[in-house]
Amino acid sequence: MLLSSPLSAQQSMPPAPYAYTQLEDPQQEAEARELMASLRCLECQSQSIADSDAAMAGDMRHQVRLRIAAGEEPEAIRAWMVERYGDYISYEPRVTTMTWPLFAIPVVLFAIGLLVMWRRFRRRA
């Protein structure tokens, strides 16, 4: 019973103020929505933070709107989110020393496939 008390307390916390409230400036809200659509929810993993109802996504939406309202650029916010949560959070991954194989392997496999097909058709002709 004592071990479950902290868990139930976390579930009863109210959502962050900007989790479900739009910014007053339509331009800032549009920037925030565009950025939120390109960030992945870490709990749902198949939804953006804009579409997810998870508490963590609400906190992330709050952070995005709060930082946009403070005048921070969307790319700076994305960089902060990636630094905090890792490359996986972004639907628009960067090519880095850790992610370049993800971009290179499909090209290599395609080239191998073309080479195999070329050799097979060359033998038949």
Side-chain angles (χ1 to χ4, degrees), residues 36-57:
M36 289 185 292
S38 70
L39 296 173
R40 185 186 324 260
C41 175
L42 296 174
E43 285 183 27
C44 305
Q45 297 183 359
S46 62
Q47 291 181 316
S48 68
I49 63 171
D51 299 331
S52 176
D53 287 331
M56 181 177 230

Side-chain angles (χ1 to χ4, degrees), residues 29-106:
E29 181 62 26
E31 287 178 356
R33 283 190 176 274
E34 185 177 335
L35 179 58
M36 289 185 292
S38 70
L39 296 173
R40 185 186 324 260
C41 175
L42 296 174
E43 285 183 27
C44 305
Q45 297 183 359
S46 62
Q47 291 181 316
S48 68
I49 63 171
D51 299 331
S52 176
D53 287 331
M56 181 177 230
D59 290 340
M60 292 167 79
R61 285 192 303 271
H62 169 76
Q63 284 296 322
V64 167
R65 284 185 172 123
L66 195 64
R67 288 170 175 265
I68 292 275
E72 201 168 333
E73 292 295 318
E75 283 308 310
I77 299 168
R78 175 189 306 285
W80 178 77
M81 289 282 200
V82 167
E83 181 182 321
R84 186 170 186 179
Y85 298 110
D87 286 325
Y88 180 75
I89 195 170
S90 179
Y91 280 123
E92 300 168 5
R94 299 173 295 150
V95 179
T96 65
T97 56
M98 294 296 290
T99 62
W100 74 265
L102 296 172
F103 294 94
I105 288 173

Side-chain angles (χ1 to χ4, degrees), residues 104-114:
I105 288 173
V107 174
V108 170
L109 291 176
F110 182 72
I112 291 171
L114 285 177

Side-chain angles (χ1 to χ4, degrees), residues 113-125:
L114 285 177
L115 181 64
V116 168
M117 288 177 58
W118 179 72
R119 286 186 148 188
R120 283 202 173 188
F121 288 127
R122 193 179 67 153
R123 285 185 197 164
R124 288 185 182 174

